Amino acid sequence: MSRTRWSDPGATAHEDEEQRLRELGYKPVLARRMGGFGNFAISFSVISVLSGCMTLYGFGLGTGGPAVMLWGWAGVGLFVLCVGLALAEVTSAYPTSGALYYMADRLGGRRWGWYTGWLNLLGLLGAIAGIDYGAALFTGAFLNLQWGFEPTPGSTMLIFIAILLLHALLNLFGVRLVSLLNSISVWWHLAGVALIVGALWIVPDHHQSPSFVFTEFVNDTGWSNPFYVAAIGLLLAQYTFSGYDASAHLSEETSNASVSAAKGIVRAIWVSWIAGFVLLMGLTFAIQDYKGTQESTTGVPPAQILLDALGSGGATALLLVVIVAQLFCGNAEVAAASRMVFAFSRDNALPGSALWRKVSSRTQTPVPAVWLSVAVACVLALPSLYSATAYGAVTAINVIGITPAYAIPILLRLRAGDRFRPGPWSLGRWSRPIGWIAVVWVACVTVLFCLPQSSPVTGGTMNYASIALAVVLVLASVWWYVARRSYGTPSAYGSDREQAEIAEGIV
């Protein structure tokens, strides 16, 4: 009697991805428990329109005002979609936790990978600091509305540290919990945007005119050139549209990653593009007092819009919705950054790599990498204790680090031409035009975000992003001469040395 055996397509895809990872040089040590929706959800959660748009809304009010915020969002979103499409194609070919730096290493050589990795790491750690400090600011505003709490730099820093600890602990439970929280986050964000915009449309008696929302230009920067001011104002959108490489960093924990991670990047961008435009439009139509919004005693201009339009009760409830979304966002960013730390250490690129690449045998999570990620993010935010402009510098550090890192693998892929072997997700004949649009856009915004954001330029108003970029590049160069003999991505998994090194990371 014969017995028919049915194959499991999911298991086959899983085995194919594990084999592909071995071909790329790595033994699978992380748990592949994330599906396609979960992979999209982590990038969508990191982009988080309820974090980026809300946190930097006050910045946008003075750097171009409504016109730059709305049209800037539309334009930046289009260019970022091109970056995402081009990056997704390379991700499909190289689905590893190292993501950007691994792609650059394979397409351009060790030194390209090295500098891409350091830039990517700076951006990811800056993003944790920016997201969680923003959540701390909004938490202070919530406490102010609810109980009259007066937020100070010191109390905000304590809230920030508590949020970092929460995110570290949540990430220690394993990728399955992270994936679950990200899936919830998607619906929380979409429902939150709908709730906020709906309430701001229905409840207030007064709304701004369409001409105000789409054409009003406001310049409080001290600079006289409106084009310069508008360019600086694009930081709101460009900062929000970052972190979508999270899908690539979680690819070693995603089923069918060669397709799912690529789709996750692109889907996260276009869904966020639509949701963010609706949110910004809803907030701007509901402004009751422009100057009062900018000078809000809550310290958070969107909280003042909610307060003026909906009253204390409504504002408090919706502010809580925003804070929870920001917590989802920060948690996802810690997951992405810790995987980058793990992968970079796996290739011996960081000081103390032997520690940071260790993986828990129980949860299959890079525990030391999680703690390092939140610790460095805490240090990056410390200047906020004494500088009112430090938070803007942290967000610029995020953009200035991570944005160039997106373009380098795309540029190298274009340079490689036919030598590049696409994965199962490819742009086909659109690959080169979209790739060049992405590279040129990244070059432009990298220059823009090194420029001073307000005049006169003093120690308190200076944009420290360029200095942070220079410091990281110098440190990376110095460390290159120390670690260049040990750093390197393996050509294929299987040698005794590689097995021994990976085994050291399993605890």
Side-chain angles (χ1 to χ4, degrees):
M1 179 178 178
S2 63
R3 179 176 297 172
T4 303
R5 296 183 62 187
W6 297 93
S7 61
D8 181 352
T12 302
H14 180 87
E15 292 166 3
D16 289 346
E17 290 296 339
E18 300 291 67
Q19 178 57 34
R20 177 58 181 151
L21 187 60
R22 288 184 173 89
E23 291 171 358
L24 294 174
Y26 299 111
K27 176 183 177 181
V29 296
L30 301 175
R32 202 176 285 275
R33 296 170 180 164
M34 182 177 284
F37 184 81
N39 187 276
F40 147 73
I42 192 166
S43 282
F44 181 77
S45 296
V46 171
I47 293 175
S48 183
V49 294
L50 285 176
S51 178
C53 292
M54 301 292 274
T55 304
L56 280 182
Y57 191 83
F59 173 86
L61 289 175
T63 52
V68 172
M69 283 195 286
L70 270 296
W71 294 114
W73 181 270
V76 169
L78 180 60
F79 285 114
V80 170
L81 184 59
C82 290
V83 178
L85 286 165
L87 186 63
E89 181 177 53
V90 189
T91 297
S92 180
Y94 302 107
T96 72
S97 294
L100 309 181
Y101 91 84
Y102 181 88
M103 302 170 197
D105 185 288
R106 284 302 172 89
L107 292 169
R110 294 170 70 239
R111 192 167 294 201
W112 277 105
W114 177 269
Y115 283 101
T116 302
W118 279 99
L119 286 170
N120 191 196
L121 190 59
L122 170 68
L124 289 168
L125 296 174
I128 297 174
I131 293 162
D132 281 1
Y133 194 82
L137 289 170
F138 272 73
T139 302
F142 172 81
L143 296 175
N144 175 268
L145 289 175
Q146 188 69 18
W147 293 290
F149 171 82
E150 291 297 331
T152 64
S155 61
T156 301
M157 182 59 63
L158 290 176
I159 297 170
F160 168 65
I161 292 172
I163 292 172
L164 286 176
L165 290 174
L166 171 65
H167 287 155
L169 293 173
L170 288 173
N171 271 271
L172 297 184
F173 283 98
V175 74
R176 185 164 288 170
L177 176 61
V178 172
S179 182
L180 173 63
L181 292 174
N182 289 332
S183 297
I184 296 171
S185 170
V186 171
W187 302 113
W188 186 276
H189 274 81
L190 295 177
V193 169
L195 184 62
I196 291 170
V197 173
L200 290 177
W201 182 257
I202 295 170
V203 176
D205 294 328
H206 169 73
H207 290 91
Q208 298 291 342
S209 66
S211 63
F212 174 87
V213 172
F214 294 105
T215 65
E216 184 72 13
F217 183 86
V218 179
N219 177 15
D220 293 331
T221 65
W223 300 107
S224 58
N225 189 316
F227 295 103
Y228 183 91
V229 175
I232 297 301
L234 297 180
L235 176 60
L236 183 156
Q238 186 64 51
Y239 164 70
T240 305
F241 277 120
S242 63
Y244 44 86
D245 57 315
S247 289
H249 289 295
L250 272 291
S251 58
E252 289 184 34
E253 295 157 88
T254 301
S255 300
N256 195 24
S258 297
V259 174
S260 296
K263 286 184 175 179
I265 291 171
V266 177
R267 189 180 302 162
I269 293 171
W270 71 257
V271 174
S272 299
W273 189 17
I274 296 170
F277 190 84
V278 172
L279 177 63
L280 289 172
M281 190 168 57
L283 285 170
T284 309
F285 267 114
I287 293 176
Q288 306 296 305
D289 178 359
Y290 201 94
K291 185 58 68 176
T293 297
Q294 288 181 293
E295 300 172 353
S296 174
T297 57
T298 67
V300 180
Q304 192 63 47
I305 294 175
L306 297 175
L307 187 63
D308 292 343
L310 308 175
S312 179
T316 302
L318 292 183
L319 206 55
L320 189 58
V321 171
V322 173
I323 292 168
V324 173
Q326 292 173 335
L327 294 178
F328 278 129
C329 174
N331 190 64
E333 186 62 40
V334 170
S338 62
R339 271 50 173 191
M340 173 60 197
V341 171
F342 158 76
F344 217 27
S345 300
R346 181 172 58 181
D347 292 328
N348 296 304
L350 296 180
S353 286
L355 172 61
W356 311 125
R357 66 172 173 246
K358 289 183 181 293
V359 176
S360 167
S361 58
R362 182 175 61 85
T363 62
Q364 293 180 276
T365 299
V367 174
V370 170
W371 286 114
L372 179 64
S373 299
V374 298
V376 174
C378 184
V379 172
L380 286 176
L382 285 178
S384 297
L385 283 170
Y386 58 84
S387 172
T389 60
Y391 180 71
V394 169
T395 60
I397 287 170
N398 164 221
V399 173
I400 204 66
I402 210 165
T403 306
Y406 290 153
I408 293 172
I410 300 170
L411 176 63
L412 294 174
R413 178 261 175 274
L414 293 169
R415 193 181 71 169
D418 294 336
R419 291 187 294 107
F420 172 74
R421 295 174 56 191
W425 194 95
S426 172
L427 295 174
R429 62 190 178 92
W430 292 101
S431 179
R432 294 190 69 81
I434 289 176
W436 281 116
I437 291 171
V439 170
V440 171
W441 170 251
V442 169
C444 291
V445 296
T446 300
V447 173
L448 284 179
F449 295 141
C450 284
L451 301 175
Q453 297 168 6
S454 57
S455 178
V457 180
T458 65
T461 62
M462 181 177 176
N463 182 355
Y464 291 96
S466 55
I467 295 177
L469 177 62
V471 168
V472 168
L473 291 176
V474 169
L475 290 177
S477 299
V478 171
W479 189 248
W480 167 259
Y481 288 101
V482 175
R484 70 183 187 277
R485 295 185 184 278
S486 59
Y487 163 74
T489 59
S491 57
Y493 173 72
S495 73
D496 292 339
R497 173 180 170 272
E498 288 161 3
Q499 291 189 51
E501 286 180 350
I502 293 174
E504 289 176 7
I506 308 299
V507 295

